[in-house]
Amino acid sequence: MTNIISKTLSSAVFTLVALAALSCSPYTDQPIRSGEIWPDDRGEHINAHGGGILYYDNTFYWFGEHKGERSSAAFVGVTCYSSKDLVNWKYEGVALPISEDPESEITSGCVLERPKVIYNEKTGKFVMWFHLELKGQGYSAARSAVAVSDKVTGPYTYLGSGRVNPGIMAENVTEEDFAWLDSLTEVPTSWTPEWLEAVSRGLFFKRDFEGGQMARDMTLFVDDDGKAYHIYASEENLTLNIAELSDDYLSHSGRYVRVAPAGHNEAPAIFKRNGTYWMITSGCTGWDPNAARMFSAPSIFGPWEQHPNPCRGDKSEITYGGQSTNILPIPGKKDLYMFMADIWRPRNPIDARYIWLPIQFDENGTPYLEWMDEWNIEEYK
Ligand code: DGJ
């Protein structure tokens, strides 16, 4: 009898604890206010630009570019912050420091942009990719770089950089395209319809084929099956590439496609909802904001279809002053995806701000964005 009572009691306690755990949301009713100063646990404005967020072990880790007061170049490295609720952030330090060795590819003064970190379930390692430009060479190197760590906050070990998939054909480029390009007697004048057609059929793709494709603005995406993808602005920022990573995420597998050829997109950010892949990008106007673009596809390798600008309302033609960097599915919220963008301040880069907005969906399930002075994750189911 005592046994039955104690069993019943312990199962009731277990149920109560389980229910309490379920109803215990990590989020807060503190609002997210885009465009404002966001102090970290030290009271300093968060310095993690062009970044992305990894959700690992019930904690959000935000990685981004450290920006200084005068220059947009890298003099510190990739910073990391952690949070349980996406509002209160603890500074975790520099996850990948730039090097003081002048011979290093990531030497002080290089351009290190848009770092993203993903976790590899198979290897148990954290893998960081970023856009790297070699010091003193402007934006001509157009390389992708990779670093790895056993610990989420780092330090990350720099592994190297390069152009992407040298000598490997994209899945949606044909021999006919190459033959057509060979048949051109001269390169058409830039920005004419003839030139755009040549770009679209692989003018720069073919030029860079042996040495590997250019890779600037970038993001990473891990699909439900654990496969990871590197999405980057290639071909002089004229065409996006989506390239599958190897199983350890440390290199490219060789499978890749060109997306929106000659479309002039950068700042890709991607998410998947109900089996459809959505990508938001920007146009290419340096640090100045422009209208966002949006694409969807039934498979990561396409075909990708372009939609109208997802932004609505005032300043929708300049993405509310920002440029996309990442889209974060919010754990525990059934249908909440957070659009993340940077408001750049190239004259005082450290003062750059962040735009974080919930993605909304119309009656057809098409995503759109509206400016909100403030919003609260806790209000979403
Ligand atoms: C726009 C890109 O999105 C940024 O990451 C940066 O590369 C600037 N261009 C540089 O002008």
Side-chain angles (χ1 to χ4, degrees):
M1 186 65 171
T2 333
N3 224 346
I4 293 173
I5 293 172
S6 92
K7 266 190 185 162
T8 317
L9 264 178
S10 64
S11 97
V13 167
F14 177 82
T15 314
L16 276 176
V17 170
L19 278 174
L22 273 178
S23 63
C24 176
S25 162
Y27 304 110
T28 145
D29 57 10
Q30 293 168 274
I32 291 177
R33 291 199 182 97
S34 295
E36 300 202 348
I37 291 281
W38 289 3
D40 64 10
D41 61 321
R42 306 163 303 168
E44 288 181 26
H45 180 48
I46 291 174
N47 197 332
H49 310 278
I53 292 178
L54 170 70
Y55 185 64
Y56 176 76
D57 201 12
N58 299 317
T59 306
F60 297 97
Y61 293 92
W62 179 0
F63 297 86
E65 305 160 22
H66 177 279
K67 294 272 188 222
E69 283 170 6
R70 280 189 196 85
S71 163
S72 290
F75 295 99
V76 172
V78 178
T79 48
C80 177
Y81 296 80
S82 68
S83 172
K84 294 280 184 196
D85 59 17
L86 290 166
V87 177
N88 297 288
W89 290 94
K90 175 173 179 267
Y91 181 59
E92 296 283 358
V94 180
L96 175 71
I98 55 91
S99 169
E100 291 309 327
D101 175 359
E103 298 302 315
S104 166
E105 291 179 349
I106 55 166
T107 193
S108 179
C110 68
V111 170
L112 190 169
E113 292 182 342
R114 297 181 177 271
K116 305 285 179 303
V117 173
I118 51 179
Y119 175 64
N120 190 303
E121 296 272 356
K122 284 188 191 141
T123 62
K125 305 229 183 251
F126 299 89
V127 180
M128 176 190 293
W129 284 85
F130 56 91
H131 165 205
L132 176 68
E133 297 292 348
L134 303 175
K135 185 178 179 179
Q137 297 186 23
Y139 276 78
S140 61
R143 291 189 185 195
S144 291
V146 61
V148 69
S149 175
D150 291 326
K151 200 171 152 239
V152 60
T153 51
Y156 284 72
T157 304
Y158 180 70
L159 297 180
S161 74
R163 293 273 178 100
V164 181
N165 283 325
I168 300 175
M169 204 60 163
E171 295 197 352
N172 53 356
V173 174
T174 63
E175 293 299 335
E176 291 78 61
D177 289 324
F178 270 28
W180 181 85
L181 288 163
D182 282 337
S183 75
L184 289 179
T185 46
E186 59 180 28
V187 175
T189 309
S190 298
W191 300 107
T192 58
E194 296 74 28
W195 181 81
L196 286 171
E197 187 190 358
V199 172
S200 179
R201 295 193 71 169
L203 183 67
F204 296 115
F205 175 86
K206 186 166 180 290
R207 180 198 69 184
D208 294 338
F209 183 71
E210 291 305 334
Q213 298 302 321
M214 299 175 91
R216 293 198 183 117
D217 279 9
M218 57 144 281
T219 193
L220 299 175
F221 175 72
V222 181
D223 213 335
D224 309 326
D225 60 2
K227 287 223 178 286
Y229 300 88
H230 178 205
I231 299 129
Y232 52 93
S234 193
E235 303 176 22
E236 309 288 356
N237 286 351
L238 286 155
T239 297
L240 292 163
N241 283 183
I242 297 185
E244 187 185 75
L245 294 179
S246 55
D247 284 348
D248 61 10
Y249 300 171
L250 298 176
S251 61
H252 296 88
S253 75
R255 274 200 83 184
Y256 73 116
V257 288
R258 298 171 73 229
V259 176
H264 216 196
N265 288 279
E266 58 180 10
I270 187 167
F271 71 108
K272 183 182 183 183
R273 178 179 185 251
N274 300 336
T276 299
Y277 298 79
W278 294 94
M279 177 161 59
I280 297 180
T281 67
S282 74
C284 303
T285 50
W287 300 110
D288 295 332
N290 54 54
R293 292 101 177 268
M294 185 166 71
F295 302 82
S296 71
S299 143
I300 190 83
F301 288 126
W304 286 87
E305 176 197 348
Q306 186 157 7
H307 299 262
N309 179 355
C311 298
R312 293 184 183 179
D314 202 23
K315 293 201 179 157
S316 58
E317 73 292 354
I318 53 163
T319 318
Y320 318 115
Q323 187 183 30
S324 41
T325 183
N326 195 50
I327 294 170
L328 180 72
I330 305 296
K333 301 288 170 183
K334 205 181 131 279
D335 213 16
L336 184 56
Y337 302 82
M338 187 174 78
F339 173 75
M340 300 166 56
D342 297 281
I343 303 176
W344 302 112
R345 296 261 164 98
R347 278 193 216 92
N348 184 14
I350 196 171
D351 191 37
R353 307 292 171 90
Y354 310 99
I355 296 176
W356 288 4
L357 294 170
I359 294 182
Q360 303 182 63
F361 298 94
D362 71 11
E363 58 286 0
N364 301 314
T366 303
Y368 67 93
L369 290 161
E370 282 176 322
W371 175 260
M372 295 179 188
D373 287 338
E374 58 175 59
W375 62 286
N376 184 324
I377 295 178
E378 211 27 350
E379 279 168 13
Y380 290 77
K381 289 206 183 83

